[in-house]
Amino acid sequence: MSPGCSPTTRTFTQTVFGEGTAGAKVLVVGEQPGDKEALAGEPFVGPAGKLLDRAFAEAGFDRQALYVTNAVKHFKFKREGKRRIHQKPGRTEVVACRPWLLAELRAVRPDLVLLLGATAAQSLLGPKFRLTAHRGEPVEAPDDVAELVPSAVATVHPSAVLRAPDRDDAYAAFVADLKAAGKLLK
């Protein structure tokens, strides 16, 4: 288990670290690994990851050139029969895993941090950050991480697109957010 980020209950799985190249211009932060990611030991390989790959391609990002990780490094779940049902990580898990996220930022030194979902955004921008108020727009990082986060954009997590009542509209808005973020690199 990861020091400083180890699970305290049996509702966690293996540690899932980020992947990508050091020196990637874009570092993508999600909430936490899902069930598929926890089983594979890789970030964004489940249904949300497939949607994210498609959206990245449409927005002009090369997934192979990105560094992709999560704010929380373990899948938190509850059992319902044989199924493992996602549970939102609490502030304790986010804070406990934050040193790992900061270490990834130091190692990669991205030009842009793309935050997927409120949990990811709040992990770096603070618990008072509201995604609904700043979705798809450049946001300034607080002083304690400003040197590691030169530019940031927060948007919804791809799993929110999968759960949306109108997936087509939600997907189009998600891709628009990614395109707006991409313009910050040019």
Side-chain angles (χ1 to χ4, degrees), residues 14 21 37 41 50 53 58 72 75 80 90 93 116-117 121 127 129 133-134 136 153 164 181:
Q14 71 174 318
T21 57
E37 290 79 7
K50 290 181 184 2
D53 287 345
E58 279 188 48
V72 175
F75 174 47
E80 285 188 10
E93 289 98 6
L116 304 178
F129 179 82
H134 301 287
V153 172

Side-chain angles (χ1 to χ4, degrees), residues 26-31 44 52 56 69-71 101 105 112-126 129 131 134-142 145 149 151-158 174 177-178 181:
V26 180
L27 187 140
V28 181
V29 182
E31 177 187 80
F44 288 101
L52 182 61
F56 277 150
T69 192
N70 284 294
L101 179 56
L105 284 162
L112 171 67
V113 176
L114 186 56
L115 301 157
L116 304 178
T119 298
Q122 291 173 353
S123 73
L124 287 177
L125 304 176
F129 179 82
L131 179 62
H134 301 287
R135 178 184 173 171
E137 63 186 50
V139 290
E140 282 192 37
V145 295
V149 182
S151 183
V153 172
T155 185
V156 296
H157 193 280
F174 181 56
D177 289 346
L178 296 178

